[in-house]
Amino acid sequence: MILLVDSGSTKTDWIALNAEGAEIFQTQTFGLNPQVLSAEILTERIINNYELYKHRHDVTHVHFYGAGCGTHKPKELIKGVFEDFFDKAQEINIKEDTYAALYATTKRNEAGIVCIIGTGSNCSLYDGENIEQKVTSLGYILMDDGSGNYFGRQLLRDFHFNKIPKELAYEFAKQFDLTAESIKNHLYKMPNPNTYLAQFARFIITNKDHDYCKKLIRKGFKLFIEHQILQFDNAKEIPVHFVGSISFYLQDELKSLLSEYDLEIGKVLKRPIEGLVAYHKNYMMV
């Protein structure tokens, strides 16, 4: 059994295939970001899934693409978790989520810029053969422009600095616990602070036609375009693809802003898992 796994910080999509590429099952767990979660929490999130636990001894190959897997230490952390859980696996490949987005949106020998804007954000250049990232992510506190946790962070700051229009602030407070005690507890004592921040982005999406939200969306996406996409010299010559919930639900706003920078938008996908399956069937079936 072959497991294809695409993991963000919020959710993880799993698809199991047999050796001929036929689907056995699909399932979903919470996000498995080894940058912000311990081995114990990662294991708990896997072991609590019925399908994964049921088939844990049947898995022979795991291809995992995940947020937080851009450096050696977190890669080794989650690989160790998988080796213990899928104890019959002959091969476990761990790559960062950029590769899932790349495989889902581009074709071999076709250049493009591939962006992820979901809970977090990043951007890579694919020249048709190789992938290049000019900026190493420093995580949700210092980077992730235009992402869910970026918008959540800005909303919380503006709310407590009384910068949100009163009628909008009232609706915001009705939907979420915005007490300082609750916020600090989630940010400093609970796992997944980046996911906690990103949950507030749905308020931005729901109220995207409000002037305050329009300005905040524009500011976040401008930062992403200028800090990430425009770092590549040929950005205006090749399509720019997007994967992730924020880019998917705010794609009209994103397209409008990209046009102001003379950038060509390519594919916009909420999740890359379908394209990931197609890629593996075409190129990597074991």
Side-chain angles (χ1 to χ4, degrees):
M1 181 185 294
I2 302 160
L3 273 183
L4 303 181
V5 193
D6 171 58
S7 179
S9 291
T10 303
K11 295 178 182 178
T12 301
D13 291 313
W14 306 71
I15 291 186
L17 307 175
N18 64 21
E20 289 71 43
E23 182 180 314
I24 301 172
F25 68 84
Q26 289 192 36
T27 191
Q28 193 173 80
T29 63
F30 288 119
L32 301 172
N33 186 334
Q35 287 278 16
V36 296
L37 297 175
S38 65
E40 291 74 21
I41 295 176
L42 292 168
T43 301
E44 180 184 358
R45 292 187 172 188
I46 299 170
I47 205 171
N48 285 335
N49 182 278
Y50 172 76
E51 291 287 356
L52 297 178
Y53 187 80
K54 175 184 175 182
H55 294 285
R56 66 193 185 282
H57 301 310
D58 303 323
V59 174
T60 59
H61 296 77
V62 180
H63 299 284
F64 179 87
Y65 303 86
C69 294
T71 55
H72 178 74
K73 189 173 180 179
K75 277 185 180 180
E76 289 302 303
L77 172 63
I78 200 159
K79 186 175 183 180
V81 168
F82 286 164
E83 286 174 341
D84 290 340
F85 188 75
F86 302 112
D87 55 358
K88 306 298 185 193
Q90 304 164 19
E91 182 181 5
I92 296 175
N93 292 315
I94 309 295
K95 291 186 177 183
E96 61 182 319
D97 53 351
T98 298
Y99 285 89
L102 169 69
Y103 297 153
T105 57
T106 63
K107 296 180 180 178
R108 286 190 173 184
N109 303 316
E110 289 185 5
I113 291 173
V114 180
C115 308
I116 297 176
I117 308 183
T119 298
S121 66
N122 63 45
C123 179
S124 304
L125 172 68
Y126 178 59
D127 65 6
E129 294 183 3
N130 302 302
I131 191 169
E132 176 187 0
Q133 280 186 325
K134 286 192 174 182
V135 175
T136 300
S137 176
L138 298 177
Y140 74 99
I141 295 175
L142 296 177
M143 291 193 171
D144 283 357
D145 293 334
S147 70
N149 68 64
Y150 167 87
F151 289 124
R153 187 166 64 244
Q154 299 305 311
L155 275 169
L156 292 179
R157 284 175 54 86
D158 285 356
F159 179 83
H160 281 274
F161 280 124
N162 298 310
K163 298 295 184 182
I164 299 180
K166 288 184 179 180
E167 74 281 1
L168 201 62
Y170 174 75
E171 291 299 323
F172 190 39
K174 277 174 46 178
Q175 296 181 33
F176 300 97
D177 182 354
L178 301 177
T179 60
E181 180 181 7
S182 176
I183 292 170
K184 288 190 284 187
N185 182 58
H186 279 90
L187 290 180
Y188 302 114
K189 295 182 180 180
M190 303 288 284
N192 281 94
N194 56 334
T195 301
Y196 166 73
L197 288 171
Q199 70 170 323
F200 298 107
R202 70 174 185 260
F203 185 80
I204 285 281
I205 295 169
T206 302
N207 296 280
K208 66 179 187 176
D209 293 328
H210 192 287
D211 284 344
Y212 165 83
C213 294
K214 285 181 179 179
K215 291 176 182 177
L216 185 53
I217 293 167
R218 182 177 176 85
K219 178 182 177 181
F221 283 164
K222 281 192 70 173
L223 288 172
F224 182 84
I225 291 169
E226 293 173 3
H227 288 164
Q228 293 280 7
I229 298 174
L230 293 180
Q231 66 182 303
F232 299 112
D233 294 336
N234 60 342
K236 297 183 179 182
E237 301 167 9
I238 55 178
V240 184
H241 306 289
F242 292 87
V243 167
S245 57
I246 299 299
S247 55
F248 181 80
Y249 288 115
L250 295 176
Q251 60 183 287
D252 290 340
E253 290 75 15
L254 188 56
K255 288 176 182 177
S256 177
L257 192 56
L258 286 168
S259 69
E260 294 181 25
Y261 287 86
D262 296 322
L263 294 167
E264 175 194 350
I265 195 164
K267 293 182 180 178
V268 183
L269 306 177
K270 183 180 178 182
R271 302 184 304 167
I273 192 68
E274 304 297 339
L276 198 57
V277 171
Y279 174 84
H280 275 265
K281 285 184 177 180
N282 288 333
Y283 301 115
M284 294 183 65
M285 286 301 295
V286 294

